[in-house]
Amino acid sequence: MQKDLDYIFILKALKEIPFGIGKKLLIEFLQGEDSNKSIQRNKLDSYENFGSLAYTKNELNSMIDKLILNNMIQLTSIKGNKFWKVMELSETGRKEMDSPSLYKRKSAYGFKEIKTKITEQDKKAFEALDNFLGKFNDFQKKGIISVDKKILCIAGAGSGKTTVLTKRIEFLVNYRSQDPNKILAITFTRKARQEMLTRLSKAQNLELVHVETFNSFCEKILRQHASLLYAGPVRVINFRDKISVLNRSLQSLKISMDKAVDLYFSYAQQRGKTPEQLSNILLNDVFFLRDYFKFKNIPIEETSFNITSEHKNSFKMVLGICNYIESYMKKYGYRDFADQLIDALSLFKSHKDTIPNFDHILIDEYQDVNSTQMRLVDMLNAPNLFCVGDPRQSIYGWRGSDLRYILNFEEKNPGSSIITLTKNYRSTEHIVKLINSSIKNLGLPDIESEAKGEKDIQLLKFDSENQEFEFVIQKILAATIPLSEIFVLARTNRQLTELSQHMKLRRIKHVVKSDELRKTGTAAKDEVTLATIHAIKGMEAKTVFVLGCSSYHFPSKGSEHPVIDMVKVEEYDKEEEERRLFYVAMSRAKSTLYLSYTGSSHSYFITDQMLSLLEEKKVEVKLNTAQKNISNRSNDIITRLKDWRSQLSKETNLPAYLIMHDRTLIDISIKMPTTTRELEDIHGLGPTKIMKYGEQILDIIS
């Protein structure tokens, strides 16, 4: 008889728990099983009915089945998932609770109605949390709400890692009542920082959360405590200052920028790059080398490395530049990014009271951290650490990032937990299968696609790069999607530069994104994006072309950064990083992916398993006359510009090189500007020269 009376407790449990549940959870709730993490997480043990029925699981299962049969409990689909059934009170069950038909009989056996300890406010909070987590998969939910102290979230491409990180911050503040002023979120770029701030601004109570890059964080700390570390005023060196000090260093060495570029770069390395790009690479490399010396705490001298005869003169010049920069910055109180990190560490060591007190530190793109950044995190010593990253997308070893920190997270943090996000919401299942098969050596689980779509991935072989470019152009001209949803990716700047020439001839609007340019554009709705793979990380498009998938370009036989070859950064495995770079390129595509190459063979990064997933074919493309003669056209423009310059030199009695350097003329022939605004992007053309010669130049090349 008691079993017949206890059904009311089951109905009450279903009524009081503010979300649909499964039979297993209901049984464990009624038995008082407190090891169930859902019961712990949602504080279900606060209910009066928790542990109220002392029956076996089989007995409770039978009782619940009878209630389902009697239409007091109904099975229903969770919102947005027709395959996941949960239990809820039916309309009949609600009526039974309001006016139980067996109430009098129950009362005779001593049944008493006990008010729940769960308040209406508690129920609203549970309901809000359920709604907050409703759209996330189980692994994302775990990343958002886990209470573990040290967590590494390995987030595959397109798995929503930034969303998980920002939602975790919101959960900590609004559902765990953590002090937002005690939370520090760290990103790697100003752009990523701004994106995170934008996302957090859409939630309540998060204004006081600290969102910083490593360097912006250090800068704020150092400004606050400058008097403890510096004798005089200091300021962070900016890009304009760097250019100035580089030029000063070259003057001290009696070397022109053109000579420095020729000494530093081989002909192959210069090919396809503008003077602006080459000078920017040289600038970034000498500052990288200076930072490398400082991080390693070794003197800036030749004896620090075993330099080959091939690089001897180049390295001597670079060391001279670095030593000049170091002395100049000390003299005038300049600090750069490396200085900021090192100074912050020095401050924390000597003045421990300056170390800010954070309860939670969250780090995005954890695969990109270096040793100095990790020392800083260790010094902060927050009790809770949450790191998000993907070893498969570690592509900045040449800048000093160390993959070992993400791979050895558990070893460094005993008792930590690993959460893996495996559901990809970006790419179709065909693209996901392809990228899964591209990297297997890291021992990570495969990614699962949540996006449906037709199989549209191809491996295409062409007889020449001009044919490869023409194929891309024809596809773009025939596209029915916004041009901003098209990416053309290449391993080298040269490929992008030459393709850009072809696209200009066909009047296809496009922007070029390169990690070697100071500023790069963002595509408008009617513009295609041409980009190096380093410059496109974190972005996505419906259609992606990856050019140059040959054995020459993947892995790259050349070097964009000669200083890396000279220094041989120990944490840097070039071939494996090239493989990961190829992975990043392919994983940008949402629905359509074209891999193309010229020459005798495709890259060995394209494995037999990948070939079984690809549609491979040789493509013949007919070239028009303009394309066949594009290089002749460029040479013709340079010739005409030189003739114009010679005539101008005679008329003004000025040396030709003072009017315009050869490199400027070459840059004009490559970029083919059509307006005075576009002339501003030409190396060597300032406002005065554009005002004097701009219209003449445009007439010559039109």
Side-chain angles (χ1 to χ4, degrees):
M1 181 63 70
Q2 187 64 40
K3 288 184 182 181
D4 292 333
L5 300 177
D6 284 341
Y7 85 94
I8 192 68
F9 284 94
I10 298 174
L11 297 179
K12 282 176 64 63
L14 277 175
K15 183 182 179 182
E16 291 179 348
I17 298 176
F19 46 84
I21 63 172
K23 188 186 292 185
K24 180 177 181 292
L25 178 59
L26 180 59
I27 290 172
E28 292 185 354
F29 171 81
L30 293 168
Q31 285 193 313
E33 177 58 62
D34 58 5
S35 63
N36 187 301
K37 290 195 176 176
S38 182
I39 289 173
Q40 295 175 358
R41 188 168 55 248
N42 297 293
K43 301 179 181 178
L44 300 184
D45 56 352
S46 301
Y47 284 86
E48 187 67 30
N49 289 318
F50 180 69
S52 60
L53 300 183
Y55 295 109
T56 66
K57 288 184 179 180
N58 287 337
E59 288 174 324
L60 287 172
N61 188 69
S62 177
M63 292 166 68
I64 293 167
D65 284 344
K66 285 181 181 178
L67 289 171
I68 294 172
L69 189 63
N70 292 328
N71 197 31
M72 291 190 183
I73 298 175
Q74 64 185 8
L75 289 174
T76 183
S77 297
I78 198 77
K79 190 175 180 181
N81 191 329
K82 63 182 179 180
F83 302 107
W84 185 10
K85 301 290 185 182
V86 297
M87 294 194 309
E88 291 182 348
L89 272 175
S90 65
E91 190 62 28
T92 303
R94 289 190 184 93
K95 289 178 180 178
E96 181 66 20
M97 289 299 303
D98 292 337
S99 182
S101 60
L102 300 176
Y103 188 81
K104 291 181 182 178
R105 189 152 54 109
K106 295 176 192 133
S107 298
Y109 288 93
F111 174 82
K112 292 181 180 180
E113 183 106 19
I114 302 174
K115 296 289 184 182
T116 178
K117 292 180 180 179
I118 301 297
T119 66
E120 287 301 316
Q121 188 177 357
D122 292 332
K123 290 181 181 180
K124 287 179 181 178
F126 284 132
E127 187 175 1
L129 178 58
D130 196 39
N131 291 334
F132 175 71
L133 297 172
K135 65 180 181 180
F136 300 107
N137 65 49
D138 289 346
F139 296 104
Q140 289 173 323
K141 287 179 183 177
K142 189 175 180 182
I144 294 169
I145 69 175
S146 177
V147 296
D148 292 336
K149 297 290 187 182
K150 309 288 184 182
I151 302 170
L152 172 64
C153 182
I154 296 177
S159 62
K161 68 176 180 65
T162 305
T163 298
V164 169
L165 192 148
T166 53
K167 287 297 179 181
R168 180 171 178 83
I169 295 172
E170 187 177 348
F171 174 78
L172 289 172
V173 175
N174 292 333
Y175 294 93
R176 286 189 57 195
S177 302
Q178 300 295 293
D179 184 353
N181 198 39
K182 294 292 187 71
I183 298 175
L184 170 65
I186 302 177
T187 69
F188 271 80
T189 64
R190 289 189 294 269
K191 181 183 176 184
R193 176 175 178 260
Q194 189 54 55
E195 182 185 348
M196 190 175 294
L197 284 169
T198 301
R199 293 196 187 199
L200 292 176
S201 67
K202 297 176 182 177
Q204 294 181 334
N205 308 318
L206 305 183
E207 298 85 359
L208 297 178
V209 173
H210 301 267
V211 181
E212 306 288 351
T213 64
F214 275 104
N215 290 105
S216 70
F217 171 76
C218 291
E219 184 178 359
K220 289 181 179 179
I221 293 292
L222 294 170
R223 285 185 184 276
Q224 186 180 351
H225 304 287
S227 61
L228 298 175
L229 205 60
Y230 306 120
V234 296
R235 68 185 182 96
V236 179
I237 193 167
N238 59 33
F239 186 75
R240 191 184 295 269
D241 296 329
K242 286 185 177 181
I243 293 176
S244 176
V245 71
L246 175 62
N247 287 329
R248 287 173 180 270
S249 69
L250 292 176
Q251 289 172 10
S252 74
L253 296 172
K254 298 181 178 177
I255 299 175
S256 68
M257 178 62 78
D258 290 332
K259 185 178 178 181
V261 165
D262 287 337
L263 185 60
Y264 187 61
F265 298 99
S266 67
Y267 173 77
Q269 289 166 338
Q270 293 187 50
R271 188 185 173 198
K273 297 185 182 71
T274 64
E276 178 194 13
Q277 287 173 308
L278 290 168
S279 60
N280 281 350
I281 296 171
L282 176 59
L283 176 73
N284 291 332
D285 279 10
V286 294
F287 272 90
F288 164 82
L289 186 60
R290 175 186 176 269
D291 291 350
Y292 184 77
F293 279 114
K294 291 184 79 70
F295 286 146
K296 296 290 184 181
N297 195 27
I298 54 179
I300 305 177
E301 56 189 32
E302 284 188 66
T303 55
S304 302
F305 302 96
N306 295 318
I307 303 300
T308 63
S309 57
E310 176 190 0
H311 291 125
K312 189 173 181 179
N313 290 333
S314 175
F315 196 65
K316 186 177 180 180
M317 176 191 71
V318 170
L319 284 180
I321 296 171
C322 285
N323 276 306
Y324 183 92
I325 290 173
E326 181 68 14
S327 61
Y328 185 90
M329 289 178 66
K330 282 183 179 179
K331 182 178 179 180
Y332 294 102
Y334 284 110
R335 315 299 287 167
D336 73 352
F337 293 159
D339 295 316
Q340 286 181 317
L341 284 163
I342 292 169
D343 289 353
L345 285 170
S346 178
L347 176 69
F348 291 164
K349 286 178 182 177
S350 58
H351 299 86
K352 296 191 183 302
D353 58 325
T354 63
I355 301 175
N357 181 23
F358 293 107
D359 293 331
H360 295 267
I361 292 178
L362 304 95
I363 305 175
D364 196 11
E365 303 289 1
Y366 189 67
Q367 75 279 351
D368 294 331
V369 295
N370 62 37
S371 59
T372 307
Q373 290 162 342
M374 284 311 305
R375 283 164 56 201
L376 183 71
V377 173
D378 291 342
M379 287 289 289
L380 293 173
N381 195 30
N384 298 279
L385 178 66
F386 183 85
C387 303
V388 180
D390 184 6
R392 291 160 293 206
Q393 298 187 68
S394 176
I395 57 175
Y396 292 109
W398 57 277
R399 289 183 183 172
S401 67
D402 193 340
L403 185 59
R404 291 174 295 186
Y405 285 109
I406 192 170
L407 295 178
N408 300 332
F409 186 87
E410 286 182 286
E411 182 181 330
K412 179 176 170 55
N413 301 281
S416 59
S417 64
I418 308 294
I419 299 169
T420 305
L421 306 184
T422 58
K423 292 188 183 296
N424 177 296
Y425 296 92
R426 173 189 299 159
S427 308
T428 65
E429 58 183 324
H430 309 288
I431 295 172
V432 168
K433 284 180 181 177
L434 187 71
I435 63 177
N436 277 338
S437 58
S438 68
I439 294 181
K440 293 288 191 181
N441 63 333
L442 293 173
L444 299 173
D446 284 347
I447 299 167
E448 304 167 14
S449 174
E450 291 292 302
K452 303 298 180 185
E454 300 294 323
K455 184 177 181 179
D456 199 1
I457 51 175
Q458 297 181 43
L459 175 61
L460 308 174
K461 180 179 180 179
F462 298 91
D463 285 333
S464 68
E465 281 193 338
N466 279 346
Q467 287 193 357
E468 190 176 20
F469 297 156
E470 176 61 16
F471 174 83
V472 172
I473 288 170
Q474 289 180 9
K475 287 292 183 181
I476 291 171
L477 292 173
T480 57
I481 59 175
L483 295 186
S484 59
E485 284 285 354
I486 300 175
F487 288 171
V488 186
L489 310 182
R491 181 64 187 87
T492 67
N493 286 285
R494 178 195 62 78
Q495 293 165 296
L496 295 180
T497 301
E498 293 182 10
L499 176 59
S500 181
Q501 289 185 54
H502 286 262
M503 292 178 72
K504 283 180 178 179
L505 285 175
R506 307 290 279 276
R507 301 187 183 278
I508 298 173
K509 292 183 178 179
H510 61 281
V511 295
V512 179
K513 293 180 70 68
S514 169
D515 52 316
E516 311 306 351
L517 293 174
R518 170 64 180 157
K519 293 182 179 180
T520 58
T522 300
K525 188 176 180 180
D526 61 343
E527 291 180 320
V528 178
T529 297
L530 311 186
T532 57
I533 303 166
H534 285 105
I536 208 72
K537 188 170 178 286
M539 301 176 68
E540 60 185 39
K542 286 184 178 178
T543 297
V544 172
F545 299 86
V546 185
L547 306 182
C549 298
S550 66
S551 52
Y552 180 79
H553 291 111
F554 285 103
S556 175
K557 298 297 188 293
S559 174
E560 302 282 323
H561 302 269
V563 74
I564 302 300
D565 292 336
M566 292 188 276
V567 173
K568 302 293 183 185
V569 180
E570 63 198 39
E571 300 86 359
Y572 178 51
D573 185 333
K574 182 176 180 179
E575 178 158 318
E576 285 305 308
E577 183 152 308
E578 289 283 323
R579 190 185 304 276
R580 295 192 293 269
L581 200 65
F582 191 49
Y583 172 94
V584 169
M586 294 188 291
S587 63
R588 301 308 94 195
K590 292 194 280 188
S591 55
T592 302
L593 176 63
Y594 297 103
L595 308 177
S596 60
Y597 70 99
T598 60
S600 59
S601 63
H602 56 71
S603 168
Y604 59 78
F605 289 168
I606 302 174
T607 63
D608 289 343
Q609 186 179 357
M610 293 174 68
L611 286 172
S612 68
L613 301 169
L614 287 163
E615 180 186 344
E616 185 179 12
K617 60 183 178 181
K618 188 173 186 300
V619 182
E620 299 286 345
V621 180
K622 187 176 180 180
L623 300 178
N624 58 40
T625 305
Q627 286 179 296
K628 289 179 180 177
N629 298 322
I630 191 168
S631 59
N632 293 335
R633 185 173 186 269
S634 179
N635 291 333
D636 179 59
I637 288 171
I638 292 173
T639 300
R640 283 189 279 158
L641 286 169
K642 284 184 176 181
D643 290 343
W644 163 77
R645 184 182 62 178
S646 294
Q647 184 62 35
L648 198 60
S649 175
K650 291 177 182 177
E651 294 173 0
T652 59
N653 289 321
L654 288 173
Y657 72 89
L658 287 181
I659 297 172
M660 213 159 291
H661 197 278
D662 280 355
R663 289 193 177 277
T664 302
L665 304 185
I666 294 169
D667 200 16
I668 292 170
S669 75
I670 292 172
K671 292 183 176 178
M672 294 294 290
T674 57
T675 65
T676 52
R677 167 62 189 86
E678 291 179 358
L679 285 171
E680 294 175 8
D681 297 328
I682 302 297
H683 179 79
L685 286 185
T688 303
K689 287 188 177 181
I690 292 174
M691 189 176 294
K692 277 186 177 181
Y693 310 127
E695 293 299 330
Q696 297 177 55
I697 293 170
L698 293 175
D699 285 342
I700 292 170
I701 66 176
S702 63

